[in-house]
Amino acid sequence: MTELEKKIEDAIWVAKELFERGKATGSSANLSFKHDGCIYITGSGTCFGRLTPESFSKVDETGAWEGEKPSKELPLHKIYYEKSENIKAVIHTHSFYSVMYTFLQHSQTKDIVPDHTPYLKMKVGTIGLVPYAAPGSEELFSYFKKAVPYSDAFLLAQHGSVVGGKTIMDAFFGIEELEESCKIAWTLRGNKIL
């Protein structure tokens, strides 16, 4: 198995796990990873529960792509990759508690999720809040670009979580930890578990 085939296999496994655990529904989530100077991102309208090796778009440095049409949130992934050479994979989901937590009032926006357990800081880091804008919009990408330097991972207001990692597995561990941390923080604020 080649390195690229292994990355695709891991990405498909991660997507299926997130789908089966209820962290990604319908065709709303997207993920990507870097390989040989290109970004491989899930195609527009693909479902995490049904990904195949053909479900990815290969996007080169000029923006030219092959295969599936790339997710409309490709610019968000590109902005995240520009943050650090250590980020080699990005996952974006609309998981329940990550979305719900953005509706609460937050005194600041650079680290909004308390580290009630040690694992959030260990696996993810600080969690920034990005103001609401329509998914896939230039406004959203502008807000995200302004927020990226100040936090390690992000909650998009009324939208979902975005987590990067050295590998797709690292990003998966991080996005799972972020969702659980949002659930704990939501509950400790006196809200009911839904």
Side-chain angles (χ1 to χ4, degrees):
M1 180 180 290
T2 68
E3 182 183 358
L4 176 58
E5 288 170 338
K6 175 61 174 159
K7 288 178 178 179
I8 290 172
E9 180 182 80
D10 286 348
I12 291 171
W13 182 88
V14 162
K16 188 174 181 187
E17 285 297 308
L18 289 168
F19 185 81
E20 291 182 350
R21 297 175 190 194
K23 308 291 175 62
T25 58
S27 61
S28 61
N30 44 77
L31 61 76
S32 70
F33 61 86
K34 295 185 84 174
H35 181 77
D36 282 349
C38 293
I39 296 172
Y40 289 76
I41 187 167
T42 47
S44 179
T46 54
C47 172
F48 269 24
R50 297 181 59 99
L51 293 186
T52 68
E54 292 73 40
S55 301
F56 294 85
S57 177
K58 177 184 176 182
V59 184
D60 70 19
E61 292 175 351
T62 70
W65 53 273
E66 325 175 354
E68 291 284 322
K69 179 182 178 184
S71 166
K72 67 182 175 185
E73 291 182 333
L74 171 63
L76 186 145
H77 291 245
K78 289 172 114 176
I79 292 164
Y80 209 155
Y81 286 126
E82 290 167 5
K83 176 180 175 66
S84 169
E85 290 183 2
N86 291 327
I87 298 170
K88 304 287 188 190
V90 174
I91 302 175
H92 167 48
T93 66
H94 301 174
S95 50
F96 185 81
Y97 286 97
S98 294
V99 173
M100 292 297 287
Y101 196 71
T102 69
F103 284 92
L104 301 176
Q105 292 297 312
H106 302 285
S107 60
Q108 49 80 31
T109 60
K110 294 179 182 171
D111 192 15
I112 68 166
V113 182
D115 52 340
H116 292 302
T117 74
Y119 304 105
L120 181 64
K121 290 292 185 275
M122 286 169 52
K123 294 186 181 193
V124 188
T126 56
I127 312 300
L129 178 64
V130 178
Y132 177 78
S137 68
E138 290 302 321
E139 185 180 18
L140 175 62
F141 303 144
S142 175
Y143 287 154
F144 189 69
K145 191 166 191 171
K146 288 175 186 171
V148 156
Y150 302 105
S151 306
D152 298 309
F154 305 89
L155 292 178
L156 309 179
Q158 300 170 244
H159 186 164
S161 51
V162 187
V163 175
K166 292 180 181 177
T167 67
I168 200 73
M169 294 304 297
D170 285 340
F172 169 69
F173 299 145
I175 210 156
E176 286 275 86
E177 187 59 42
L178 176 53
E179 175 69 2
E180 290 304 304
S181 293
C182 286
K183 182 176 181 179
I184 292 167
W186 171 267
T187 307
L188 288 175
R189 281 227 193 165
N191 298 296
K192 292 182 179 179
I193 296 179
L194 303 172

